[in-house]
Each structure stands twice: as structure tokens, then as C-alpha cells.
Amino acid sequence: MTKAASAAAKDFAAAGVGGVHLAWADNNGIPRSRIVPIGGLADAATRGVGATSLFAVFDSHDAITYGHAGLSTPSGDVRLVPVVERLRRLAGQPALAWAPVRQLTQSGDPWPYCQRAVLEAQVAEGARRGLEFRAGYELEFAVAPAGSTDVVTSPGHPGPAYSPHALVGLDGFVAALLHDFAANGLRIGQLHAEYGVAQLELSLAATDPVSAADDQLLARQTIHAAAHAHGLVVSFAPLIGLGAAGNGWHLHTSVRRKGRNLLDDESGVPTGDGAGYLAGLLRDLPALTAITAPSVPSTLRLRPGYFAGAYAFWGVENREAPLRYVPGSQLLGADHANVELKTSDASANPYLALAVVLAAGMAGIADAAALPAPIAEDPGGWTEGERETRGVRRLPADTAGQDAALTASPRVAGVLGDDLLGAFRAVRASDAAWAAERTADEIVAAHLWLY
């Protein structure tokens, strides 16, 4: 690895690269990084770069909580070791390169709070069971002119939703996104003006889960840089305003055995192990959402009628369902079959989000979990009695409800391990205490530019 890092550093230095972002995401989904000079890359790949262990207990507002016993003092250090094979020169920031990191102890062992290691463990567990996964993100974000304090009153494009006319004024930004994503090794499926205020969406091509999480972080860096170069700012926040449609970062996954997509079925709904995978996600959906949509604005976003997924159910191509099954077809092929998790946003750590989704799905396969019938309607329009009859319940609507769901599910909580689970819960409690003293509008405003 040192040899590869040295060779890359030499080539990058010759091309004018001066430093490398060593990047990770914390337990709030917020990207963090350290820049090392390009000449220090080989040393970083060998020995890592030091960082405080307290990053695991930063809350969303950069306050450090000591509510987790394992990280209850300011003492401690970890080593950030770049994943050299994922090293990229940043097309929109040509003097810089980028690489995700593994977080290790000073002895070089895996640190129990490293989210990337948690995902790698679930992928390895899948391989042990003969399962292979594919994953990809859809990213929604809102655009505003640089210097804006909010998006609703200073939208970066006028709409209409899904219209090519909406993007004419953003032509340079769109061109930069297409160029920079390709140059940074990120494949886009599509890019368009979305439904929300000044909202855009782009979809990343499906890949292996660890690369999908890496790609999500790199995509954010790429989008922010392109926006800055064109006099814009972007918000990935779950909500940009209480009355506006939110930003979901929809997570698509599929599972294979011996090359066969288990979610594909001629009947148009998954059967066998594919049904078990989807049933596993549905069974643990409240606990999953505590990881995949964990912030206080996340709970405000999960409202009926906003295509965000407020109730626990699944449907075939039902965009109100938190679990939307996307079947394969003669036109698209069997590989296209996947499950979209809509209760997912930028406040989720992408590695943890994928790890718990894979774990829940694998548990569903192992248990042959029963999959109820799909729902084609929006249960938000039903009476409480109708929802009760169909077994459709509201997803947790606050941090306390999410925490209760998480701790009640050993299948999900166990993925994190006691140390990381304790830190994650402490961070959520710190966020909730902060939010308790503020209005909903203040909460939304304070999260607008965090991600």
C-alpha cells in the first residue's frame, strides 16, 4: 500500500495536486476531513493521521457530548488511514485529491467506532452466507445563490418541477456536475429538477455497498465544489422549510446469490429469499429509520403525503411507501429489481445506513420472514381503524421513539456493537436536548447547511 501511495503522490504532485482530503462521516452524517500535503500521503497510508476519538461523540452542532461512558473524557486518539485504492483527484478542486479513511487504534487494530468497518463486516458476513449486494443512492438537494440564508425565499431555480426550463439558469452548474462526476469516477444515472423548492436530484450508479457509501461522500464534495464555482450553495438537509418537500437520499439495494438477483421474480413481487430480504427490512423499519433518518429534522420530514414514508409498509412502485419495490422487467432486465428505502437522508452516516439495511435483510432471509401483501395506496388517507386492520403503523416521530425502536431491535442495534451504539445514542440525545429549547423553524434553519 505504501508503494501505491508513493506512486500516486508522485503522479498527483506532477499534475499540480498539493494535498489530499482524508474524509469520513460522523454519527450525524456530517462529512469531516483532514488535509495532508501530497508529500505526506505515503506516510499517512502507513501510519495514519491522528485525530481525537471524540469525533464519535460530536453532535450535529459540533458540541461534544460526554454522555457515552466509553468516550467520557477528552483523552484519546485514533489514526485515520486513507483507502488508497479509492484515491481521486477532485476535478472541481484540482489542487486537491480525496480519499475515504479507515479509523484505527494506535496499534493499528480496527477502532470499534469506525463506521466503515461496520459496513465491511456486514458485507463479509453476506459473503460468508453466499450473498452479494448492490447499492446506490439517489441524492436530492436544494440550490440557492451564494450568500443566501435560506432556500425558500432565495430559490436557485424557479421551477417548474421536472422541467428543462428550470435548469436553464443553472446551465453552467449542471455542465460542471456532469463533467466533474465523470472525472471523479462517479457514474450518474440521471439528473433533473425535482419536485421541491429549487430542488435537484441525481442518482448514482449501483455498485458494491462500501463503494456506494464512499461514492456518496465523494458526490457531496463534488456537488459543493461545483456549486461554489458557479456562485451557488446547496442544501442537502432533510428539510429546507416546514411547508416544503424535504430532501431524501433514497437508498437502493439488491441481493444476489451465485449471480442471480433474488429480488427479481416473474410474478412482479419478490418471492422466496427475495421476499425474506424485503420482509426483514419491513420488520425492522422503525429501528432502521433511527439510523437512516436520525436527525430531528428527519423526524419532521417523515410526513404523510410528501413521498417521504411516514408509515411502515411496502408497495410496488408506490412512491409514498418507505419501502418501494422496483421490479425487473423485460425492458430493464432482472438486474434492475431492487428495494428503495425512502426514509433515508443526508443526516445518516452512509456506512451505518447500509450496514443496518444489509443486516436486516439478511436476517429476514435467514428467518424466512413473511412478507405481507403490498399496498398501492397512501395509508395517510386511511382512518386509524383501517390502518390498524392492515397492520400499518406510524414510524417513530421523534428522537425518543426512534431510540426506543433501535434498542428494541437486537438485529439492528447489534450491528453497531455496544461501543458505537452507545456513542450514537449519546449523540442523538444531545441533539434532542438542543432541539427541545428551539422552535421547529429554528431547528430547520440550524441544519440547513450542515451536510
Side-chain angles (χ1 to χ4, degrees):
M1 193 58 65
T2 304
K3 188 175 181 180
S6 296
K10 183 178 179 180
D11 290 344
F12 279 2
V17 174
V20 182
H21 273 290
L22 306 185
W24 73 102
D26 70 7
N27 284 323
N28 314 289
I30 297 174
R32 310 285 184 176
S33 79
R34 295 289 177 88
I35 294 177
V36 297
I38 193 65
L41 177 61
D43 185 66
T46 303
R47 301 194 303 168
V49 173
T52 175
S53 56
L54 294 177
F55 275 118
V57 287
F58 270 48
D59 71 13
S60 294
H61 312 286
D62 290 345
I64 298 169
T65 173
Y66 292 106
H68 168 55
L71 295 172
S72 59
T73 75
S75 300
D77 193 72
V78 296
R79 308 302 294 179
L80 308 175
V81 179
V83 182
V84 175
E85 59 267 29
R86 294 288 294 163
L87 184 67
R88 299 287 186 273
R89 185 182 187 183
L90 294 171
Q93 299 171 273
L96 293 170
W98 178 97
V101 301
R102 293 187 174 93
Q103 301 171 62
L104 305 179
T105 67
Q106 292 203 31
S107 62
D109 297 322
W111 192 45
Y113 301 91
C114 178
Q115 299 93 345
R116 196 177 197 271
V118 171
L119 176 55
E120 290 173 335
Q122 290 305 309
V123 172
E125 175 60 22
R128 189 186 69 79
R129 301 185 189 195
L131 301 174
E132 178 185 354
F133 303 97
R134 303 281 286 174
Y137 272 94
E138 292 178 5
L139 312 181
E140 293 178 339
F141 55 96
V143 183
S148 300
T149 57
D150 71 86
V151 179
V152 174
T153 61
S154 300
H157 75 71
Y162 311 109
S163 169
H165 306 156
L167 300 183
V168 170
L170 299 178
D171 188 63
F173 174 53
V174 170
L177 289 179
L178 295 172
H179 173 271
D180 293 354
F181 267 70
N184 290 348
L186 298 170
R187 291 187 296 128
I188 297 177
Q190 59 181 10
L191 166 65
H192 60 272
E194 249 291 344
Y195 185 80
V197 176
Q199 190 177 53
L200 276 68
E201 179 183 275
L202 61 83
S203 59
L204 296 173
T207 183
D208 69 275
V210 179
S211 294
D214 289 342
D215 287 352
Q216 194 242 56
L217 286 185
L218 179 55
R220 291 198 232 189
Q221 186 77 19
T222 304
I223 294 168
H224 276 303
H228 176 75
H230 289 83
L232 301 167
V233 288
V234 295
S235 176
F236 300 125
L239 275 183
I240 63 165
L242 291 178
N247 291 319
W249 282 26
H250 306 153
L251 178 51
H252 293 255
T253 60
S254 62
V255 56
R256 290 163 170 73
R257 182 184 288 118
K258 295 182 179 179
R260 176 180 170 267
N261 187 347
L262 300 180
L263 291 171
D264 181 63
D265 194 273
E266 292 181 357
S267 68
V269 295
T271 59
D273 285 345
Y277 180 83
L278 179 50
L281 301 187
L282 181 60
R283 176 175 64 183
D284 278 320
L285 186 60
L288 293 179
T289 301
I291 302 292
T292 63
S295 68
V296 176
S298 298
T299 62
L300 299 175
R301 171 182 165 259
L302 301 183
R303 302 159 292 176
Y306 281 81
F307 285 10
Y311 294 92
F313 71 101
W314 78 281
V316 179
E317 296 287 22
N318 184 344
R319 285 172 168 78
E320 191 63 40
L323 290 168
R324 170 183 166 235
Y325 173 63
V326 183
S329 67
Q330 185 172 356
L331 179 64
L332 298 174
D335 274 356
H336 185 73
N338 68 85
V339 179
E340 176 191 42
L341 175 67
K342 299 183 80 70
T343 52
S344 171
D345 62 49
S347 68
N349 180 289
Y351 302 98
L352 292 186
L354 271 161
V356 295
V357 165
L358 300 188
M362 283 191 286
I365 292 174
D367 299 341
L371 183 66
I375 292 173
E377 298 85 23
D378 174 8
W382 297 352
T383 67
E384 286 291 344
E386 289 171 327
R387 286 192 288 268
E388 185 67 27
T389 299
R390 296 289 296 272
V392 174
R393 291 178 173 80
R394 188 79 156 84
L395 288 170
D398 55 30
T399 301
Q402 288 192 332
D403 185 69
L406 176 59
T407 55
S409 172
R411 289 178 296 270
V412 176
V415 172
L416 277 64
D418 290 342
D419 291 322
L420 180 52
L421 177 64
F424 185 87
R425 293 182 66 205
V427 168
R428 301 280 70 79
S430 183
D431 273 8
W434 174 92
E437 300 178 354
R438 290 163 174 84
T439 67
D441 283 316
E442 289 172 333
I443 291 167
V444 170
H447 289 77
L448 198 57
W449 313 111
L450 295 185
Y451 310 103

